[in-house]
Amino acid sequence: MREFKTILVTGGAGFIGSNFIRHVFRKSGYKGKAVNLDKLTYAGNLLSLTDIEKEYGGTRYFFEHVDICDKAGVMKTLKDTGADCIVHFAAESHVDRSITGPGEFIQTNLIGTFNLLEAAREFWKDRKDVLFHHISTDEVYGSLGDIGYFFEDTAYDPRSPYSASKAGSDHLVMAYHHTYGLPVTLSNCSNNYGPYHFPEKLIPLMILNCFEGKPLPVYGDGMNVRDWLYVEDHASAIWKIITDGKIGDKYNVGGENERPNLEVVNLICEIAAGENGKPKDEYKSLITYVKDRPGHDRRYAINCDKLKKELGWKQSVTFEDGLRQTVRWYLNNPEWIESVRSGEYRKWIEKNYAARD
Ligand code: NAD
Ligand code: DAU
């Protein structure tokens, strides 16, 4: 089992990154430090980590307000912290935004990853006791028909600007391993859901719209299929891979929980109604079919046997339980929702971090 002294988490203020940092401190048994390097785009929210900041801030948890496209800033952070592991989440992550504005996706996902790899290579030189773990997506494999699965050796066939930028970054990571011997691991994951999910993505958007009696916009015929994974299970998978994964290997991570979007939305309606003390079908009339996403991938389904067999990982919650916990989390955290929507959290950041920047 590999051990690290200081893990640099890029994009740690985002949805999965913040859940991963919480997992590292609360569940993994890790005794070292974690540095959250984040640009704090619209999707980055330090309020997602106030509990961690309160308990470990300044001793084992640190925040660095840095853009991964700024190589000097990244180099300074590496030198200041002496990080021996990088877990790279930072990205533009929303497919719809990549359709209307692909430029940021190329910049952060491709150029930013390149910068980070260059900085790691320069800082670590030929060290072998270090690790660069890259977080990627099942979307790099393209779109499936009614049958079949994505395996680790499935050929890449990205079809949106988002997935193309992620595919490019995956290739760069592997190229740095093969060409320069940089110790890397890579994971390709299906759709995450859970607490701290930015409410532009399907599940949190539908939950909040149910609570607020707003239309539930279903793209196309609602029969596009996604595989859903609880974010805490993704965090535990990443921990397994960085500590026990084979250097130079890639691992698929999935929920083994395929659902058509319409089924997901109906389930959310039922759970949200139950949690709000309303009749089961109360919110279903809000479902509204809207224009489809251009180039909308039809089906993703991931085979994650390698991770299960080689590293002994498994999912911990059923979709119904995970979704119920998620609905409850959104019901119980109105301040977080308000802060994300109002931009109020930026004022909090300015107040708390201005002195450090
Ligand atoms: P997110 O959009 O919630 O968070 C992204 C984080 O990266 C934010 O904190 C943002 O401020 C930060 N960031 C963006 N650009 C940056 C830059 N230039 N420099 C530094 N920080 C920057 O994303 P997420 O859903 O948590 O996804 C995290 C990673 O996981 C991404 O790489 C994404 O491609 C991948 N992924 C996500 C899912 C999913 O279902 N959400 C599934 C598979 C893979
Ligand atoms: O598969 C992994 C990917 O999952 C990640 O790499 C991405 O970062 C992440 O955003 C997610 O991408 P999707 O496009 O699958 O997620 P999204 O929540 O945007 O959409 C899920 C499905 O729901 C998709 O088929 C589009 C549909 N949808 C989405 C929204 C926002 C709707 O029908 N209505 C909506 O309003």
Side-chain angles (χ1 to χ4, degrees):
M1 179 171 162
R2 273 184 291 274
E3 289 187 2
F4 304 106
K5 292 192 177 71
T6 303
I7 301 176
L8 180 72
V9 180
T10 74
F15 165 46
I16 308 175
S18 60
N19 278 285
F20 174 72
I21 290 175
R22 183 166 293 99
H23 177 88
V24 165
F25 280 109
R26 300 221 186 281
K27 300 263 177 74
S28 73
Y30 177 65
K31 299 278 180 280
K33 295 175 180 168
V35 180
N36 173 9
L37 182 154
D38 200 298
K39 179 183 174 182
L40 298 178
T41 66
Y42 78 96
N45 184 353
L46 287 175
L47 283 187
S48 303
L49 285 164
T50 38
D51 57 330
I52 299 296
E53 168 71 34
K54 203 168 158 200
E55 201 169 334
Y56 303 101
T59 54
R60 293 180 56 208
Y61 168 76
F62 304 87
F63 172 69
E64 292 290 335
H65 192 188
V66 174
D67 183 339
I68 57 166
C69 298
D70 165 17
K71 189 171 160 216
V74 172
M75 270 312 275
K76 183 174 182 321
T77 306
L78 284 174
K79 284 181 182 155
D80 289 351
T81 62
D84 52 359
C85 176
I86 297 173
V87 182
H88 177 34
F89 293 94
E92 286 295 332
S93 70
H94 191 36
V95 175
D96 288 339
R97 287 181 188 249
S98 86
I99 295 167
T100 52
E104 277 298 304
F105 287 71
I106 303 306
Q107 201 55 36
T108 286
N109 301 0
L110 214 42
I111 310 291
T113 302
F114 163 69
N115 263 312
L116 207 57
L117 286 163
E118 278 289 276
R121 185 163 80 93
E122 206 174 306
F123 179 64
W124 286 336
K125 302 205 163 45
D126 292 328
R127 278 178 67 177
K128 295 295 171 224
D129 61 336
V130 292
L131 181 72
F132 187 108
H133 180 73
H134 180 57
I135 310 292
S136 191
T137 170
D138 59 358
E139 300 199 10
V140 298
Y141 299 122
S143 181
L144 292 165
D146 290 343
I147 55 165
Y149 292 91
F150 299 136
F151 293 85
E152 280 82 0
D153 60 359
T154 298
Y156 277 28
D157 182 24
R159 293 148 48 98
S160 73
Y162 163 71
S163 53
S165 68
K166 292 297 289 186
S169 67
D170 290 14
H171 290 318
L172 279 172
V173 170
M174 283 308 184
Y176 270 63
H177 174 64
H178 291 296
T179 310
Y180 305 114
L182 188 74
V184 308
T185 45
L186 197 158
S187 50
N188 296 84
C189 185
S190 58
N191 286 58
N192 287 218
Y193 70 100
Y196 305 103
H197 204 180
F198 195 87
E200 65 187 350
K201 307 279 170 67
L202 180 76
I203 287 184
L205 179 76
M206 295 297 157
I207 294 172
L208 296 189
N209 283 12
C210 278
F211 292 164
E212 292 164 4
K214 291 184 184 162
L216 308 176
V218 170
Y219 297 168
D221 63 1
M223 295 313 286
N224 296 65
V225 173
R226 296 293 182 264
D227 170 64
W228 293 97
L229 173 72
Y230 196 56
V231 66
E232 171 60 26
D233 286 337
H234 188 193
S236 71
I238 296 166
W239 185 256
K240 279 259 180 225
I241 297 167
I242 65 172
T243 52
D244 292 324
K246 195 165 160 238
I247 299 295
D249 265 25
K250 75 204 291 285
Y251 295 85
N252 281 350
V253 191
E256 298 181 299
N257 174 47
E258 279 181 56
R259 311 266 173 153
N261 293 334
L262 198 55
E263 188 183 318
V264 173
V265 176
N266 272 301
L267 195 53
I268 291 170
C269 287
E270 288 175 16
I271 293 174
E275 294 296 320
N276 251 343
K278 308 265 188 211
K280 187 169 162 242
D281 293 335
E282 174 89 2
Y283 299 133
K284 290 186 181 168
S285 59
L286 297 170
I287 292 174
T288 310
Y289 291 92
V290 299
K291 195 164 166 279
D292 209 353
R293 171 186 283 175
H296 196 176
D297 288 341
R298 191 63 173 171
R299 174 172 167 260
Y300 303 143
I302 203 149
N303 178 297
C304 55
D305 285 352
K306 177 177 171 176
L307 178 62
K308 294 175 105 176
K309 286 184 185 143
E310 288 185 15
L311 303 186
W313 171 85
K314 62 176 190 310
Q315 305 89 349
S316 70
V317 285
T318 63
F319 187 51
E320 283 71 10
D321 285 347
L323 210 47
R324 190 173 305 284
Q325 287 176 36
T326 306
V327 169
R328 283 188 185 153
W329 188 88
Y330 281 90
L331 260 179
N332 293 330
N333 286 277
E335 307 82 15
W336 185 89
I337 295 160
E338 177 55 25
S339 73
V340 170
R341 284 173 159 177
S342 69
E344 195 56 37
Y345 76 93
R346 296 203 175 277
K347 289 187 201 152
W348 183 89
I349 289 158
E350 280 158 25
K351 189 166 150 250
N352 286 276
Y353 287 96
R356 295 194 200 177
D357 289 350

